[in-house]
Amino acid sequence: MVELGLPLGQPAGDSGSCGSPTRHLHESYILGELLGRGATSTVYKCLFKGKKECACKILKKSVLDRRRVESELPDLRELRHPNLVEIRDVFETADALTLVMEWVSGGELLERIAERGFYSEQTAAKAVRQILSALQCLHSRGHAHRALRPEKLVFASEAEESPIKLLTPGLGVSSLLPTAPPYCAPEANKGAGAGPASDMWSLGVTAYILLCGFEPFSGENGSASEPLQPHALHFPAPWWDEVSDSARDLVTQLLQTDPAERPTAEEALQHPWVRGDTPRSQHMDATVRSLREFNARRKFRAATQAVVATQRLVSPEKRLSRVLGQVSPQEETPPHVHDDRPGRC
């Protein structure tokens, strides 16, 4: 558990190259509310010198590939792109790597789409174009994101024309912790590792959701009770009846099981649908309704995961006492739980 105000600078004697041996987080930043907690990281809101808002992501070093982090992080710190969340500072301790990142406050992409009054393929194409631009920047520098999914896509601010930002890449997270299905590409599921082509698969799944409101490779309208064969792509009626052939063509290209058959980010940026030449302008009312249901399911899963994470903070002895009726939940002090918004972690 991270205590507020605890120095998180690199301890003396630790010669790691990711952080500074003489600087400490608490000297410049004040940790605030907990924004999210995942299997590999925890994210807090923080203030730089008590004024400028930032996000502080604390990653467990036990799940990081040290060589990959050391080779990628220095370059990622230097990346500046309008659709990538900036890494502004790095600190290191014996068991954690802390990233101070640009603050984004516009909310998740899918949630904002579901809340707006009008949504068309043109809006979806604009979103995909921005995501591709971020991926093209990463891939051109030899990096892959490895964790692309809707929760990683947020708006910089609440302004109407705010750009979409892609949250930080996987940063060397072990291949034992792949992106969750169906966003994890077939080759990554088979242990071949995730690279730029795997990001294109994840983008294909995201684009599919943007166009119909539910995930591919499941039953109609995302029903888990009607599973399809793995990677058997189809466009079920009536949800896809009004989607353009050009949009279907892009999704089909991105969701090729052979990574060599998928377009690169640079190639996909030239697709007529992505360029804005062919997307339809009609309101997609059915998609918006489906997205609202999809977001509700995601929130339910996130809430369930938060309960599980909270239970892990309770000692085995206290859990046993609860079962035996020796201690009531009111008699023990619960952990302080903050808003656990997906996409912040």
Side-chain angles (χ1 to χ4, degrees), residues 50-333:
K51 296 180 180 179
K52 188 175 181 61
E53 292 178 318
C54 301
C56 179
K57 183 174 185 177
I58 304 173
L59 297 117
K60 300 175 184 177
K61 289 170 68 175
S62 60
V63 299
L64 299 179
D65 183 323
R66 181 74 187 191
R67 290 177 298 177
R68 184 179 292 170
V69 170
E70 290 183 345
S71 66
E72 294 185 5
L73 189 52
D75 189 46
L76 290 173
R77 289 185 66 180
E78 302 300 320
L79 283 183
R80 295 294 180 267
H81 186 278
N83 302 118
L84 284 172
V85 168
E86 297 177 7
I87 299 174
R88 295 184 170 170
D89 220 336
V90 180
F91 298 87
E92 186 175 10
T93 64
D95 58 2
L97 186 67
T98 301
L99 309 178
V100 179
M101 304 178 297
E102 169 189 7
W103 177 252
V104 289
S105 60
E108 290 185 24
L109 171 64
L110 295 189
E111 291 188 354
R112 189 146 154 183
I113 288 174
E115 293 169 358
R116 65 192 308 163
F118 181 84
Y119 176 60
S120 69
E121 278 189 33
Q122 291 178 340
T123 306
K126 181 179 179 181
V128 171
R129 185 162 59 249
Q130 293 183 68
I131 301 165
L132 276 168
S133 182
L135 290 178
Q136 195 274 333
C137 178
L138 284 173
H139 296 172
S140 68
R141 303 286 286 264
H143 306 300
H145 191 277
R146 303 188 188 91
L148 177 60
R149 57 186 185 273
E151 291 83 355
K152 294 288 185 179
L153 300 167
V154 297
F155 284 92
S157 71
E158 295 181 357
E160 182 66 25
E161 296 301 320
S162 170
I164 294 169
K165 295 271 189 175
L166 178 58
L167 295 177
T168 53
L171 289 173
V173 173
S174 167
S175 59
L176 295 176
L177 296 164
T179 299
Y183 307 98
C184 187
E187 65 274 11
N189 269 326
K190 294 177 181 178
S198 304
D199 287 344
M200 302 307 290
W201 171 278
S202 302
L203 175 62
V205 174
T206 302
Y208 188 102
I209 296 169
L210 283 169
L211 290 164
C212 69
F214 54 90
E215 296 170 342
F217 317 122
S218 62
E220 291 186 348
N221 202 17
S223 171
S225 63
E226 300 178 21
L228 301 175
Q229 291 298 315
H231 312 138
L233 180 64
H234 77 150
F235 303 103
W239 297 278
W240 282 85
D241 288 351
E242 302 303 320
V243 177
S244 67
D245 291 340
S246 185
R248 297 186 191 211
D249 177 69
L250 175 69
V251 170
T252 301
Q253 290 186 39
L254 293 171
L255 293 180
Q256 293 295 311
T257 55
D258 182 353
E261 296 296 321
R262 296 173 210 146
T264 64
E266 187 173 1
E267 291 168 343
L269 279 167
Q270 300 307 312
H271 191 281
W273 189 83
V274 175
R275 290 201 312 263
D277 298 337
T278 57
R280 294 179 175 175
S281 59
Q282 294 89 344
H283 175 54
M284 298 192 294
D285 184 64
T287 299
V288 171
R289 291 198 304 269
S290 294
L291 279 173
R292 288 171 183 158
E293 296 174 3
F294 179 72
N295 288 335
R297 290 194 296 269
R298 287 195 304 133
K299 288 181 179 180
F300 177 78
R301 287 197 298 264
T304 301
Q305 291 167 359
V307 170
V308 172
T310 300
Q311 289 299 318
R312 288 173 180 167
L313 296 176
V314 180
S315 68
E317 292 81 6
K318 287 185 177 180
R319 286 201 297 269
L320 180 60
S321 296
R322 282 184 178 180
V323 173
L324 297 176
Q326 297 173 1
V327 179
S328 68
Q330 291 78 15
E331 291 175 331
E332 74 176 54
T333 303

